[in-house]
C-alpha cells in the first residue's frame, strides 16, 4: 500500500484512531485492530521509520 | 451413458456436497468498488470483490466484463460475468490473488483449483502459486510449489490445477491468518503484455474438480460484505444518525453483515447535516466501529447547531457513498 499523511485522531486528549491517505483514498482506521489490513500496513510503515503526526 | 451415471460420476467423493467452493465470488458477479480501472501500478483490491491484484512492477487495466450471451465459446451459459486483467507491461509475479480467511480452512492434502480462462499467455506460461499465511503473531509464511503452467487461447478453456497442501501441525496461527493463491505471470521478468479473462474460480477439497457451484447473487454479496461494504447513496441517502453533544457528534448505523474485523471507514461526496438548520462542519471522523455496528464520531462540530440537536451524515444529491473495509 502507498501510505501518506497519517495523523492521529484524538478525543479528550487521547488518541483513538488515525486518518490516512492510502493508495490515494482517505481512510479512518481504528487503532489496535490487529487483523485490519490498513492498520497492519500503517504499523509496517511506522516500522520503516515513518512517524504518525500528532492530532490537531 | 445414462443420466444417472453421469450424475453419479460428477458427485464429489471428498469434501462436502454443498458449499464446496472455498472461493468467494468466483463467478465475478460482485464488484462493489468499481467495474473498471485503468493504468494501475499499485497493488490492492481494484474491481471485482475478493480479487486482490499484486502489481509487482506491472502496469495493468482491470474490469468486470459482461458475458455476451451465446457468444462465449467454451463457457457454460450460467456465467454472466468475468474478470479481465489486462497487463500492459508485465513483470515477475504480477498476479491476481484470492485470499481465504483462516489458514486452517484449506486442509492438509490435495485441493483442486479450477477456472475458466481465455486471453494471451504471460511469458513462460500462466502460473499458479500458493501461500499459507499464519497472520500477525503467527509462524512465517509457507510457500506451496505448483508445477503446472497453462497456455491461454482466444476461446474459453477450463483449467484444473491440483495443489498439495502441507500440514500446519506445530504452526502458530496468529490474527488474520489466511491461505492465498495467485494466478498470472510467474518468475519471468518479461515486460511483455498479457491478458487474462477469468471466471468460475473454484477451490475445493480433494482431487476431483466438480462443476462450478453457482449461488444466488444475494448470497455471494453477503459473503463479500464480510470483508468490504460499499453503501451507495442516491438522492440525499442518510447513512448515519446521531446527536451532537457538547462538541462532537457520534453517529451510528447497522452494517449490512458482521465483518471479519473492525473495519476502516472512508467516504466521498457526503456531508454532516444538523437538524433542523443545515450543513455543519467538523474537523475529523473518529472510527468507533465494531464488527457489526458502525459508529463514527465527528469531532469539533460547528455551525448552526446546539448540543442535543440531531445530526445525520448523508449523501449529496446523487453519488455519495460510505465504505467499510475489513479485507485480508
Amino acid at each position: 500500500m502507498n501510505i501518506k499523511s497519517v495523523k492521529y485522531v484524538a478525543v479528550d486528549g487521547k488518541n483513538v484512531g488515525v486518518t490516512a491517505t492510502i493508495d490515494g483514498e482517505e481512510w479512518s482506521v481504528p487503532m489496535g485492530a490487529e487483523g485490519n489490513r490498513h492498520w497492519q500496513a500503517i504499523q509496517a510503515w511506522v516500522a520503516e521509520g515513518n512517524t504518525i503526526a500528532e492530532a490537531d | 451413458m445414462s443420466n444417472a451415471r453421469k450424475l453419479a460420476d460428477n458427485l464429489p467423493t471428498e469434501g462436502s456436497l454443498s458449499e464446496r467452493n472455498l472461493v468467494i465470488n468466483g463467478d465475478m458477479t460482485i464488484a462493489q468498488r468499481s467495474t473498471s480501472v485503468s493504468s494501475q501500478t499499485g497493488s490492492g483490491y481494484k474491481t471485482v470483490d475478493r480479487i486482490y491484484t499484486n502489481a509487482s512492477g506491472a502496469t495493468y487495466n482491470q474490469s468486470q466484463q459482461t458475458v455476451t450471451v451465446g457468444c462465449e465459446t467454451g463457457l457454460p451459459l450460467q456465467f454472466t460475468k468475468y474478470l479481465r486483467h489486462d497487463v500492459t507491461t508485465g513483470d515477475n509475479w504480477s498476479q491476481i490473488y484470492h485470499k481465504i480467511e483462516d489458514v486452517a480452512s484449506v486442509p492438509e492434502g490435495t485441493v483442486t483449483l479450477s477456472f475458466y480462462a481465455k486471453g494471451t499467455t504471460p511469458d513462460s506460461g500462466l502460473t499458479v502459486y500458493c501461500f499459507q499465511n499464519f497472520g500477525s503473531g503467527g509462524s512465517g509464511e509457507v510457500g506451496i510449489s505448483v508445477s503446472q503452467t497453462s497456455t491461454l487461447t482466444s476461446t474459453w478453456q477450463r483449467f484444473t490445477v491440483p495443489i498439495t497442501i502441507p500440514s500446519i501441525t506445530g504452526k502458530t496461527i496468529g490474527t488474520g491468518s489466511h491461505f492465498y493463491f495467485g494466478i498470472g505471470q510467474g518468475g519471468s521478468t518479461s515486460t511483455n503484455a498479457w491478458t487474462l479473462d477469468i471466471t468460475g474460480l473454484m477451490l475445493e477439497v480433494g482431487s476431483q474438480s466438480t462443476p462450478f457451484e453457482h449461488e444466488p447473487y444475494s448470497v455471494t454479496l453477503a459473503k463479500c460484505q464480510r470483508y468490504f461494504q460499499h453503501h451507495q447513496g442516491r438522492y440525499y441517502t442518510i447513512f448515519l444518525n446521531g446527536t451532537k453533544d457538547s462538541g462532537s457528534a457520534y453517529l451510528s448505523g447497522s452494517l449490512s453483515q458482521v465483518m471479519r474485523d473492525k473495519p476502516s471507514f472512508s467516504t466521498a461526496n457526503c456531508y454532516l447535516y444538523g437538524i433542523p438548520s443545515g450543513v455543519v462542519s467538523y474537523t475529523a471522523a473518529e472510527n468507533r466501529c465494531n464488527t457489526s455496528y458502525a459508529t463514527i464520531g465527528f469531532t469539533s462540530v460547528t455551525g448552526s447547531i446546539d448540543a442535543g440537536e440531531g445530526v445525520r451524515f448523508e449523501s449529496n444529491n446523487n453519488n455519495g457513498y460510505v465504505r467499510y473495509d475489513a479485507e485480508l
Side-chain angles (χ1 to χ4, degrees):
Chain A
M1 292 183 191
N2 182 14
I3 297 176
K4 295 178 180 174
S5 306
V6 186
K7 181 189 285 188
Y8 284 112
V9 174
V11 174
D12 297 331
K14 180 184 176 185
N15 292 330
V16 295
V18 298
T19 57
T21 303
I22 302 173
D23 295 333
E25 292 187 320
E26 295 293 324
W27 290 95
S28 174
V29 181
M31 285 177 64
E34 287 192 15
N36 184 296
R37 67 192 181 102
H38 291 139
W39 179 244
Q40 288 180 335
I42 289 168
Q43 287 184 304
W45 180 80
V46 169
E48 291 170 0
N50 297 294
T51 304
I52 301 175
E54 294 301 318
D56 292 327
Chain B
M1 184 184 296
S2 69
N3 287 335
R5 181 69 260 163
K6 289 176 184 172
L7 177 63
D9 286 346
N10 277 319
L11 288 174
T13 55
E14 300 169 82
S16 56
L17 291 174
S18 64
E19 297 285 332
R20 301 187 312 280
N21 194 357
L22 297 172
V23 170
I24 295 172
N25 199 30
D27 60 0
M28 312 294 170
T29 52
I30 309 296
Q32 295 186 79
R33 296 169 178 82
S34 173
T35 55
S36 180
V37 296
S38 59
S39 302
Q40 299 290 298
T41 55
S43 300
Y45 291 90
K46 300 294 181 179
T47 60
V48 170
D49 278 48
R50 308 297 299 123
I51 298 292
Y52 179 94
T53 305
N54 183 43
S56 190
T59 303
Y60 62 95
N61 309 310
Q62 192 177 91
S63 56
Q64 182 198 45
Q65 298 282 318
T66 299
V67 168
T68 306
V69 177
C71 297
E72 303 283 355
T73 303
L75 187 66
L77 286 173
Q78 297 97 322
F79 289 101
T80 59
K81 302 286 184 184
Y82 61 92
L83 174 75
R84 172 164 290 168
H85 185 60
D86 172 29
V87 176
T88 54
T89 306
D91 208 338
N92 58 339
W93 307 117
S94 171
Q95 301 199 328
I96 58 168
Y97 287 173
H98 186 80
K99 301 182 182 184
I100 297 169
E101 183 179 354
D102 185 1
V103 67
S105 64
V106 181
E108 177 184 3
T110 301
V111 299
T112 301
L113 178 69
S114 59
F115 53 89
Y116 292 89
K118 65 180 176 70
T120 53
T121 310
D123 185 67
S124 300
L126 187 75
T127 302
V128 174
Y129 79 119
C130 309
F131 280 97
Q132 291 171 314
N133 182 295
F134 293 90
S136 174
S139 300
E141 197 168 71
V142 174
I144 300 170
S145 175
V146 179
S147 58
Q148 179 177 334
T149 60
S150 305
T151 301
L152 301 172
T153 68
S154 60
T155 56
W156 291 99
Q157 301 173 78
R158 190 176 189 210
F159 296 91
T160 301
V161 182
I163 302 165
T164 303
I165 307 298
S167 169
I168 59 171
T169 300
K171 298 290 187 184
T172 301
I173 298 177
T175 305
S177 79
H178 56 279
F179 172 91
Y180 69 98
F181 60 85
I183 303 173
Q185 189 164 340
S188 165
T189 56
S190 168
T191 58
N192 290 354
W194 52 275
T195 300
L196 172 65
D197 289 351
I198 186 169
T199 193
L201 190 57
M202 188 154 167
L203 183 72
E204 56 195 312
V205 175
S207 56
Q208 191 174 1
S209 170
T210 62
F212 183 81
E213 191 176 31
H214 290 278
E215 60 188 8
Y217 180 92
S218 58
V219 172
T220 306
L221 176 61
K223 289 179 180 178
C224 291
Q225 287 177 330
R226 175 171 171 77
Y227 305 92
F228 185 85
Q229 294 183 18
H230 172 96
H231 296 200
Q232 179 65 53
R234 288 289 182 261
Y235 191 74
Y236 302 114
T237 304
I238 298 170
F239 295 112
L240 302 164
N241 280 292
T243 305
K244 182 178 182 291
D245 59 23
S246 59
S248 301
Y250 288 85
L251 278 61
S252 58
S254 293
L255 294 169
S256 302
Q257 297 291 330
V258 174
M259 301 195 76
R260 184 189 66 85
D261 201 348
K262 294 178 187 175
S264 301
F265 165 85
S266 70
T267 182
N269 302 316
C270 294
Y271 54 83
L272 206 57
Y273 189 91
I275 304 167
S277 300
V279 176
V280 294
S281 62
Y282 60 95
T283 58
E286 175 206 341
N287 187 330
R288 289 195 176 186
C289 297
N290 62 23
T291 56
S292 60
Y293 208 71
T295 300
I296 303 295
F298 295 90
T299 58
S300 304
V301 175
T302 56
S304 298
I305 186 169
D306 295 322
E309 290 186 328
V311 182
R312 62 194 191 220
F313 191 63
E314 64 186 45
S315 166
N316 66 13
N317 66 354
N318 189 31
N319 58 357
Y321 65 78
V322 171
R323 288 176 166 182
Y324 302 95
D325 188 317
E327 288 281 10
L328 289 160

